[in-house]
């Protein structure tokens, strides 16, 4: 009996703490849901190029579904302020507010990424470089994952579903440090020593991810 009365207030505090904690989590989930909903509205014009829910079937337009929200938001801000140069996307991002960018990023981050057209033919050299790197080149898998799924918490983008042309162009843009903004500087030393042939090989391997 004595033990029971002594442990009561303790358990009470624990329960109150638990309920408070759960309602905070629920509050955050509600805010996320509202953001995703607002993002879906704001993203209607994007589907013409990036496909339904951000899964693109056109090699000219990268899939953006399932990318880390932080990555998407920094890329949109970089297009808006011109640090990542692209005529089409700077026009698309020009009039987005910070809040719209946050919502759009939350919406696309929450979409399932699907690879609509994985390539049948890869590249042995590309596979070797991607998974093991070489002297002077860090293995891509360390950050982008063995299956190209990226790393949401760390903000490393997924590679699955990127077309060879888009991937090769991005790697060349990082190599000449023309792609700025976001965490682009992490990519500079990784690609600095890659030849064109190695870049094409990596892009071909990445296109085989399912
Ligand atoms: C007319 C076609 C078109 C429309 C519409 C369009 N985009 Fe894009 N988007 C592109 C192209 C092309 C690229 C690749 C640009 C580059 O190489 O930097 C791109 C790239 C992006 C990227 C970078 C992807 C990555 O993996 O780094 C994001 C994010 C993005 N678009 C979001 C959006 C959003 C959000 C909208 C709607 C507000 C939108 N786009 C509308 C064509 C379009
Ligand atoms: C240390 C971690 C790290 C390593 C290793 C790394 N990456 Fe990255 N990668 C990143 C980050 C962070 C970004 C986002 C950069 C930005 O904000 O522009 C990125 C972006 C990219 C993009 C652009 C994606 C898009 O959707 O536009 C490509 C393509 C890419 N990396 C390919 C590679 C390849 C190929 C390798 C191996 C040769 C590699 N990465 C190694 C961290 C890494």
């Amino acid at each position: 009996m004595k033990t029971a009365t002594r442990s009561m207030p303790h358990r009470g505090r624990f329960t109150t703490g638990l309920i408070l904690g759960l309602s905070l989590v629920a509050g955050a989930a509600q805010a996320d849901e509202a953001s995703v909903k607002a993002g879906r509205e704001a993203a209607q014009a994007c589907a013409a190029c990036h496909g339904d829910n951000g899964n693109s079937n056109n090699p000219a337009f990268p899939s953006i579904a399932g990318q880390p929200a932080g990555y998407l938001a920094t890329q949109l801000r970089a297009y808006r302020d011109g640090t990542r140069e692209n005529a089409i996307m700077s026009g698309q991002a020009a009039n987005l507010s910070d809040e719209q960018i946050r919502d759009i990023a939350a919406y696309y981050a929450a979409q399932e990424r699907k690879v609509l057209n994985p390539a049948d033919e890869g590249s042995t050299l590309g596979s070797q470089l991607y998974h093991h790197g070489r002297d002077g080149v860090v293995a891509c898998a360390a950050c982008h994952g063995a299956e190209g799924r990226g790393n949401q918490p760390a903000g490393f983008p997924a590679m699955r579903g990127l077309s060879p042309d888009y991937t090769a162009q991005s790697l060349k843009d990082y190599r000449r440090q023309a792609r700025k903004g976001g965490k682009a500087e992490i990519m500079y030393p990784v690609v600095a020593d890659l030849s064109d042939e190695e870049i094409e090989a990596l892009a071909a391997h990445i296109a085989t991810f399912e």
Side-chain angles (χ1 to χ4, degrees), residues 36 39-41 43-57 62-67 72 104-116:
V36 167
R40 181 179 289 124
E41 293 292 312
Q44 276 174 5
C46 322
C49 296
H50 292 288
D52 285 341
N53 307 322
N55 284 302
S56 165
N57 210 359
S63 283
I64 52 179
Q67 291 296 31
L72 293 168
I104 290 174
Y107 164 65
Y108 280 119
Q111 304 310 305
E112 191 192 341
R113 194 174 182 87
K114 296 183 190 134
V115 185
L116 301 175

Side-chain angles (χ1 to χ4, degrees), residues 1-12:
M1 203 44 206
K2 251 190 171 167
T3 334
T5 39
R6 236 189 294 139
S7 69
M8 277 304 275
H10 196 81
R11 193 181 300 159

Side-chain angles (χ1 to χ4, degrees), residues 42 45-46 49-50 60-64 67 71-72 75-76 79 84-86 88-89 92 96 104 108 162 166 179:
C46 322
C49 296
H50 292 288
F61 306 128
S63 283
I64 52 179
Q67 291 296 31
Y71 173 75
L72 293 168
Q75 301 309 308
L76 288 169
Y79 285 127
R84 181 173 175 185
E85 285 176 35
N86 179 266
I88 298 177
M89 275 310 298
Q92 292 294 323
L96 296 177
I104 290 174
Y108 280 119
L162 296 182
Y166 175 80
R179 188 169 155 179

Side-chain angles (χ1 to χ4, degrees), residues 10-62:
H10 196 81
R11 193 181 300 159
R13 265 203 309 277
F14 174 74
T15 314
T16 315
L18 188 69
I19 289 170
L20 189 69
L22 284 176
S23 54
L24 282 176
V25 171
Q30 253 164 31
D32 279 358
E33 230 172 83
S35 191
V36 167
K37 203 163 163 245
R40 181 179 289 124
E41 293 292 312
Q44 276 174 5
C46 322
C49 296
H50 292 288
D52 285 341
N53 307 322
N55 284 302
S56 165
N57 210 359
N58 183 326
F61 306 128

Side-chain angles (χ1 to χ4, degrees), residues 71 75 140 143-144 156-157 159 166 174 179 183-184 187 190:
Y71 173 75
Q75 301 309 308
C140 322
C143 294
H144 295 290
F156 301 151
M159 299 284 100
Y166 175 80
Y174 285 127
R179 188 169 155 179
K183 293 180 177 160
M187 281 298 296
V190 176

Side-chain angles (χ1 to χ4, degrees), residues 136-140 143-144 171 185-194:
V137 178
V138 191
C140 322
C143 294
H144 295 290
L171 294 176
E185 281 165 20
I186 297 183
M187 281 298 296
Y188 294 170
V190 176
V191 296
D193 198 38
L194 289 175

